[in-house]
């Protein structure tokens, strides 16, 4: 048995394949060092937790909820403490490949879609777009220089340069299609 935890909802593997984070029923966030598969570590509990993303170095885990506005959390995997809370609903998070950035999509209490990019370690919001990001996903380029996010109700993908957060392009779906996933 690689992972001794049951009722897994979602999982995320670090880029080097060493760290595995997952969410489970009921409302738990777990971390596993795959070089030591004897035990898993319970990071904590979060109401309605669904999504999870582990940083490339395994030092941080981001978790997001699917219901309510308790939002997202950034967990320190060594201390098992929440170092940042993001008050939104239906939160999805992802790490840049270099581990410097965390992207967040979610919905505000006043029902507006929001896209954020946080700087790792300081957890400062470095970019924010309201009413642009639709519920969905975002993705970084392999070199961490670009980030794209689904916008306009899924009909477009906006590309930003991460260093300056300058808008580079909007890719529109042909024939009124909708984007559902990015990579």
């Amino acid at each position: 048995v690689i992972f001794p935890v049951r009722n897994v909802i979602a999982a995320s593997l670090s880029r080097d394949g060493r760290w595995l984070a997952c969410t489970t029923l009921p409302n738990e966030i777990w971390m596993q060092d795959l070089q030591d598969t004897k035990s898993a570590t319970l990071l904590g509990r979060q109401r309605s937790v669904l999504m999870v993303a582990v940083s490339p170095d395994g030092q941080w885990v981001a978790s997001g909820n699917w219901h309510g506005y308790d939002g997202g959390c950034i967990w320190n995997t060594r201390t098992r403490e929440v170092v940042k809370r993001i008050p939104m609903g239906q939160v999805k998070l992802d790490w840049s490949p270099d581990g410097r950035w965390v992207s967040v999509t979610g919905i505000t209490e006043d029902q507006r879609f929001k896209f954020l990019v946080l700087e790792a370690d300081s957890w400062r919001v470095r970019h924010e777009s309201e009413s642009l990001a639709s519920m969905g996903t975002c993705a970084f380029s392999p070199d961490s220089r670009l980030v794209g996010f689904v916008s306009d109700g899924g009909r477009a993908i906006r590309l930003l340069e991460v260093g300056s957060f300058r808008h580079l392009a909007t890719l529109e779906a042909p024939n009124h299609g909708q984007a559902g996933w990015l990579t």
Side-chain angles (χ1 to χ4, degrees):
V1 174
I2 291 177
F3 198 63
V5 176
R6 296 178 181 259
N7 301 318
V8 173
I9 300 171
S12 172
L13 189 63
S14 64
R15 287 181 59 86
D16 64 3
R18 177 173 179 181
W19 302 99
L20 179 68
C22 73
T23 57
T24 65
L25 293 173
N27 303 319
E28 296 173 335
I29 300 99
W30 290 84
M31 182 74 163
Q32 174 76 50
D33 180 348
L34 294 178
Q35 292 180 350
D36 175 17
T37 59
K38 293 179 183 151
S39 64
T41 302
L42 175 64
L43 294 178
R45 291 175 174 78
Q46 179 182 349
R47 190 174 77 88
S48 301
V49 69
L50 178 63
M51 303 305 292
V52 67
V54 62
S55 65
D57 62 4
Q59 184 176 352
W60 311 102
V61 167
S63 60
N65 71 342
W66 64 271
H67 181 69
Y69 297 97
D70 295 339
C73 294
I74 308 290
W75 301 80
N76 180 316
T77 60
R78 290 171 182 78
T79 65
R80 298 185 217 165
E81 295 176 334
V82 175
V83 296
K84 176 72 174 178
R85 292 190 185 275
I86 305 154
M88 291 193 294
Q90 301 177 20
V91 175
K92 296 179 182 174
L93 308 103
D94 200 11
W95 294 90
S96 63
D98 64 7
R100 292 184 55 209
W101 310 101
V102 182
S103 62
V104 182
T105 61
I107 190 168
T108 62
E109 286 191 52
D110 60 353
Q111 301 299 302
R112 294 192 320 173
F113 296 118
K114 189 181 251 188
F115 169 73
L116 304 172
V117 177
L118 306 177
E119 184 176 46
D121 290 333
S122 74
W123 311 117
R124 290 184 319 154
V125 175
R126 295 300 305 269
H127 177 78
E128 180 174 339
S129 298
E130 285 193 20
S131 301
L132 294 176
S134 66
M135 282 316 297
T137 175
C138 47
F140 288 93
S141 62
D143 63 5
S144 300
R145 293 175 53 195
L146 303 176
V147 65
F149 62 97
V150 176
S151 67
D152 302 326
R155 293 181 303 277
I157 297 167
R158 295 183 190 262
L159 295 176
L160 302 176
E161 180 180 58
V162 176
S164 65
F165 296 104
R166 181 173 54 100
H167 178 263
L168 297 177
T170 300
L171 309 173
E172 294 183 14
N175 303 319
H176 305 290
Q178 290 189 317
W181 196 260
L182 294 178
T183 186

